[in-house]
Amino acid sequence: MLLLTMIARVADGLPLAASIQEDEQAFRDLQKYQSQAKQLFRKLNEQSPTRCTLEADTMSFHYIIEHGVCYLVLSEANFPKKLAFAFLEDLHSEFDEQYGKKVPTVSRPYCFIEFETYIQKTKKLYTDSRARRNLGSINTELQDVQRLMVANIEEVLQRGEALSDRNCLYEEAFAALASVAQVIACRPMHQEVAG
């Protein structure tokens, strides 16, 4: 489950947008992680890894940095990393399109808080078990197609080897026939000369 999402400017750690789990108990539990996320934002710089997962107790922070903006999500440790990073990539695409040019000029924290609506909608897509199953089945289908393509290429290559082997046999047979034909063609001439 995705519990906390934050977006911040890397240059100074300024929080730009956020979304937190909605129920009160989870909110109280997440305050510690929110504080850790803010500390992390202040420590990030241009030399920081652009994709990273950090473990925190039974949770994991996943983040990506794109165009001077850090997109961070806190999830349970067993939440698939691929999904977490796909979620962050989705956020990046939409946020960069809507606010990318404004990011360097803002000075107020949570200036783009209205982006929370998009975060919530996207989070539901990635945490809904049916949607996750659908993503899983799409990935499975893609892998099947890839296997088919590889199998087809391998079959073609094997057929190519068989054809080239046959071509070699045909060439040998043709050469043998040509030499036999030459012998046969020369025989009547020998008989005529000898006769």
Side-chain angles (χ1 to χ4, degrees):
M1 177 173 231
L2 303 173
L3 304 167
L4 166 70
T5 306
M6 296 182 74
I7 300 171
R9 188 166 53 198
V10 173
D12 56 4
L14 182 73
L16 303 170
S19 178
I20 256 184
Q21 188 63 26
E22 295 169 1
D23 65 66
E24 272 186 52
Q25 181 59 40
F27 178 75
R28 275 188 242 119
D29 294 343
L30 291 176
Q31 285 181 329
K32 170 180 111 177
Y33 296 109
Q34 188 175 20
S35 174
Q36 289 176 339
K38 287 178 181 178
Q39 289 173 10
L40 175 64
F41 287 144
R42 286 190 290 274
K43 292 183 185 234
L44 291 175
N45 59 41
E46 296 301 319
Q47 287 75 38
S48 298
T50 57
R51 293 173 68 93
C52 189
T53 296
L54 303 167
E55 295 176 356
D57 302 325
T58 60
M59 305 290 181
S60 293
F61 283 106
H62 309 280
Y63 76 79
I64 63 171
I65 297 174
E66 296 286 344
H67 306 282
V69 177
C70 180
Y71 304 84
L72 178 137
V73 67
L74 176 72
S75 71
E76 295 167 328
N78 62 355
F79 190 82
K81 285 182 184 181
K82 281 184 179 181
L83 279 179
F85 283 107
F87 169 73
L88 293 172
E89 291 290 340
D90 278 356
L91 293 184
H92 156 65
S93 295
E94 187 66 21
F95 187 84
D96 192 53
E97 186 177 309
Q98 287 187 28
Y99 309 108
K101 292 182 174 137
K102 298 177 186 175
V103 168
T105 61
V106 297
S107 57
R108 187 171 48 96
Y110 302 102
C111 189
F112 307 117
I113 197 65
E114 68 273 7
F115 192 69
E116 182 186 16
T117 307
Y118 183 82
I119 294 172
Q120 288 293 335
K121 286 179 188 176
T122 307
K123 185 164 58 169
K124 283 180 185 170
L125 286 174
Y126 282 87
T127 56
D128 180 7
S129 62
R130 289 173 297 183
R132 285 172 59 187
R133 267 196 310 271
N134 289 343
L135 284 172
S137 68
I138 288 170
N139 281 334
T140 303
E141 287 176 24
L142 286 172
Q143 288 170 352
D144 290 344
V145 167
Q146 183 181 14
R147 278 190 220 112
L148 271 175
M149 290 170 64
V150 169
N152 289 342
I153 289 171
E154 287 174 2
E155 288 172 16
V156 167
L157 291 176
Q158 287 175 355
R159 280 188 218 134
E161 287 177 9
L163 288 175
S164 65
D165 290 346
R166 286 184 184 168
N167 283 344
C168 192
L169 289 173
Y170 292 141
E171 287 172 6
E172 288 173 9
F174 182 75
L177 283 173
S179 65
V180 168
Q182 195 174 26
V183 168
I184 291 173
C186 289
R187 245 190 204 161
M189 281 204 281
H190 289 298
Q191 287 174 353
E192 288 177 19
V193 172

